[in-house]
Amino acid sequence: MAQAIFIILSLITLGCALVVVTNRNLFHSALYLAFVFVGVAGLYFMLQAEFFAGIQVLIYVGAILTLIIFAIMLSRDLMNPNVRGFNRQWWAAAIVAGLLFVVLAVVLWRAPWPAAPVGEPSADFIAELGQALVSPAYVLPFEVVSILLLAALVGSILIARER
C-alpha cells in the first residue's frame, strides 16, 4: 500500500513539475509549482520526516510561492496574452540546463550509496538539527537568501509602479 501511494505521489509531483517548465503561462506555472512543493512535502512525510514536511509546506508553499506569485502579479504586462513568453536567449538557457543535468547525473552515478538503511535518528534529532541550523555555518547563507528575496520583492514593486 505504501509503495502504491509513493508511486502515485511521485507521478503527480513529476507531472506537475513537467507542467511547470513547459507551460507558457507563468502564473499557471506558479500554481502548478504549489502542487510540486506539496508533493515533495508528501514524500518527506512518507519518509517519516514530518518536521521537514511541515517546513516544506510552511516555507516553500507559504512563503516562497507567495513571493513568486506576488512578483508575477506585480510585474507589468506579464499577464498580457499578447506578450511573448520567451526571449531570444532560450538556446543559451537550454545549453546551460543540459550541461547542469549532465554534471548532476555524473555526480549521482559516481556517488557512493549506502547498501543498507542508515537507521533511526537519535532521540535528540530535532534539537541537534535546530542547533546545526543556527550554528555559524548556516547563519550567513540564511541571511543572504533572505536579503535576496527582499531585493526581489522590492525590485518587482519598483518595476510594477506607475511612473
Side-chain angles (χ1 to χ4, degrees):
M1 181 67 178
Q3 187 174 8
I5 294 172
F6 173 77
I7 290 171
I8 292 169
L9 192 59
S10 298
L11 289 175
I12 290 172
T13 304
L14 289 174
C16 288
L18 185 64
V19 172
V20 166
V21 297
T22 58
N23 198 343
R24 288 195 174 273
N25 189 329
L26 192 58
F27 185 72
H28 290 164
S29 291
L31 293 179
Y32 279 105
L33 189 61
F35 289 113
V36 172
F37 288 156
V38 171
V40 170
L43 292 173
Y44 281 143
F45 188 74
M46 289 198 66
L47 290 170
Q48 296 178 352
E50 293 85 6
F51 177 74
F52 288 123
I55 293 299
Q56 175 78 16
V57 170
L58 286 175
I59 301 298
Y60 284 99
V61 177
I64 302 296
L65 190 66
T66 303
L67 182 68
I68 289 171
I69 289 175
F70 275 129
I72 289 170
M73 293 174 75
L74 288 173
S75 296
R76 186 183 318 233
D77 284 339
L78 202 54
M79 299 300 290
N80 188 352
N82 297 329
V83 175
R84 291 177 51 184
F86 56 93
N87 60 21
R88 286 175 276 185
Q89 289 105 11
W90 67 268
W91 57 270
I95 290 171
V96 170
L99 289 174
L100 182 63
F101 175 77
V102 169
V103 167
L104 290 175
V106 168
V107 167
L108 286 174
W109 184 260
R110 293 186 181 198
W113 295 95
V118 177
E120 293 294 321
S122 67
D124 297 327
F125 176 69
I126 300 298
E128 293 171 11
L129 178 66
Q131 290 295 328
L133 288 177
V134 296
S135 69
Y138 292 109
V139 170
L140 182 63
F142 178 76
E143 291 300 324
V144 168
V145 168
S146 66
I147 291 171
L148 178 69
L149 291 173
L150 178 65
L153 185 59
V154 169
S156 67
I157 290 170
L158 287 175
I159 290 171
R161 73 184 175 117
E162 294 295 326
R163 304 229 182 267

